[in-house]
């Protein structure tokens, strides 16, 4: 089992940057592939980015490629999402997720955080 807690959300102007972090409990963090999802009001939750257990093979949804970067620190049990060139359409609740199989994370991760709000507005 792994428990996930997100932080770093907030209000940012269009074109700005924000860094989200997800802290994981437990000593098995390095076994999990990790991901980020988001859900805007009235919309379904969507996949944003994923990274494998060793910190390789980052994968992004097309709408954030070149603007967002996912990374992890297995010594600190954290995964981060660096977001740049933010747009109003990036406004969502952002969720951290974990799964033992890298291929499962974009579709059916086993564990979820509680989410952190990101609002992009002038």
């Amino acid at each position: 089992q792994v428990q996930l807690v997100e932080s770093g959300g907030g209000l940012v102007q269009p074109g700005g940057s924000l860094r989200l972090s997800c802290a994981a409990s437990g000593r098995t963090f390095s076994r999990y592939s990790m991901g980020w999802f988001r859900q805007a009001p009235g919309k379904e939750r969507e996949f944003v980015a994923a990274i494998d257990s060793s910190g390789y093979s980052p994968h992004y949804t097309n709408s954030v490629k070149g603007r967002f970067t996912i990374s992890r620190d297995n010594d600190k049990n954290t995964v981060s999402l660096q977001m740049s060139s933010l747009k109003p359409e990036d406004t969502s609740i952002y969720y951290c997720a974990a799964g033992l199989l890298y291929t499962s994370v974009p579709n059916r991760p086993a564990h979820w955080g509680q989410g952190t709000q990101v609002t992009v507005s002038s």
Side-chain angles (χ1 to χ4, degrees), residues 15-19 64 66-69 81-87 90:
S17 298
L18 206 60
R19 186 178 181 88
V64 307
R67 300 189 299 121
F68 290 12
T69 302
L81 186 68
Q82 178 67 47
M83 305 184 294
S84 302
S85 302
L86 283 162
K87 306 174 182 179
D90 294 317

Side-chain angles (χ1 to χ4, degrees), residues 3-7 21-25 36 79 96 112-116:
Q3 293 183 327
L4 307 171
V5 179
E6 303 93 336
S7 62
S21 293
C22 174
S25 64
W36 287 94
V79 60
C96 179
W112 294 91
Q114 84 289 347
T116 185

